Amino acid sequence: MAEPHALVSLEGHTLVVTMNRPEARNALTGEMLSIMVEAWDRVDSDDQVRSCVLTGAGGAFCAGADLKSMSRNAPDKSFSNGSFDPSRIEGLLKGRRLTKPLIAAVEGPAIAGGTEILQGTDIRVAAESAKFGVSEPRWGLFPMGGSAVRLPRQIPYTVAADLLLTGRHITAAEARDIGLVGHVVPDGQALARALELAHLINDNGPLAIRAILKTIRDTEGMHEEEAFKLDAKYGIEVFASADAKEGPKAFTEKRKPHFQGR
Ligand SMILES: C[C@H]([C@H](O)CC(=O)SCCNC(=O)CCNC(=O)[C@H](O)C(C)(C)COP(=O)(O)OP(=O)(O)OC[C@H]1O[C@@H](n2cnc3c(N)ncnc32)[C@H](O)[C@@H]1OP(=O)(O)O)[C@H]1CC[C@H]2[C@@H]3CCC4=CC(=O)CC[C@]4(C)[C@H]3CC[C@]12C
């Protein structure tokens, strides 16, 4: 039987989503994106899940859309006839962000759609020989995963323009220098490091984590004064929780806190 195009497994409180077409460097398909949407729904709805890791099978993260399949069936008709709305591509986290932290673990290439979905993640770990780039224009394509909007908001403008317009690939070290990824680790260690970070997050108060993420997301682009109003609203809700009593009590009693998410 054919392997599913993405694998989903729960490791402790972390949902691990693995893009799984290693023979094509995990190039994206409709099936892969559907499984990813189901996984994002589970992250948002399942209280057992406190964090999520996105990675790829076989030493690659993702080579973007499947260009071979696109050469047979160009997607322009599905864009223009309304059967696929490219302004919101949930699988690629375009127009959708998760309510819990998402960590990317990148080995090998993260190209085109691969670098695009990366921009929907919160913490990014790359192996030393990982490669990044938004190379759609090399093939006469538009980076429909949202990079023309999102990349200049995440890294310095001139670097974003350079990457978007040249389509060139960069190394993990360069990606860290420009702030596209936060951690660079030896090859083969990206998933382990991502899981370590996930475990640190999982040990924290789940309400605090969700409120911090919600504040980051909801205040993006807002004037500071307006932003602080939301920040205070979400913060007050956390301080009113049982978890916010348990944390300081645990500190005083010199033990680990037992958070219940309420
Ligand atoms: C529009 C978005 C999105 O913005 C568009 C894109 O992402 S375009 C993709 C551009 N990709 C690239 O430029 C990468 C090309 N690959 C490489 O440069 C290199 O292969 C590499 C650097 C990644 C790796 O190099 P290596 O030397 O390590 O390996 P190599 O020998 O080259 O490759 C090994 C084998 O893997 C095959 N391979 C590699 N990449 C691809 C690829 N991208 N496609 C297919 N096969 C690949 C390679 O050929 C080798 O195999 P051999 O057998 O040995 O030859 C779009 C993002 C998501 C899209 C939607 C997805 C779902 C949909 C399905 C539909 O049916 C309708 C459309 C749609 C909705 C679709 C619409 C567009 C998107 C939204």
Side-chain angles (χ1 to χ4, degrees), residues 21-33 59-60 62-70 73-76 78-79 84 86 89 92 94 108-116 131 133-139 141-147 167 169:
R21 294 184 69 220
E23 70 289 354
R25 301 291 185 266
N26 303 317
L28 297 159
T29 61
E31 177 188 328
M32 192 186 285
L33 291 178
C62 171
D66 189 312
L67 290 170
K68 291 175 185 167
S69 136
M70 228 185 234
N73 300 305
D76 55 326
S78 55
F79 294 160
F84 182 84
I89 309 178
L92 291 182
K94 179 184 183 182
I111 303 296
T115 284
E116 301 213 272
K131 277 195 270 185
V134 194
S135 40
E136 283 89 340
R138 283 193 187 184
W139 319 115
L141 302 171
F142 182 85
M144 201 72 103
S147 294
H169 297 175

Side-chain angles (χ1 to χ4, degrees), residues 42-82:
R42 179 165 172 197
V43 171
D44 282 346
S45 62
D46 185 344
D47 287 344
Q48 281 304 304
V49 178
R50 294 190 179 177
S51 60
C52 183
V53 169
L54 174 65
T55 192
F61 186 68
C62 171
D66 189 312
L67 290 170
K68 291 175 185 167
S69 136
M70 228 185 234
S71 74
R72 296 186 297 271
N73 300 305
D76 55 326
K77 291 273 184 323
S78 55
F79 294 160
S80 56
N81 69 17

Side-chain angles (χ1 to χ4, degrees), residues 170-186:
I170 58 170
T171 63
E174 288 171 276
R176 184 185 44 203
D177 289 349
I178 62 174
L180 181 63
V181 302
H183 303 255
V184 177
V185 296

Side-chain angles (χ1 to χ4, degrees), residues 196-224:
E196 271 173 28
L197 294 166
H199 293 151
L200 289 176
I201 292 169
N202 296 348
D203 282 347
N204 290 337
L207 293 180
I209 293 298
R210 290 181 74 156
I212 291 166
L213 263 192
K214 192 166 163 55
T215 307
I216 295 174
R217 309 230 195 284
D218 291 359
T219 61
E220 213 171 52
M222 245 184 209
H223 188 280
E224 209 172 72

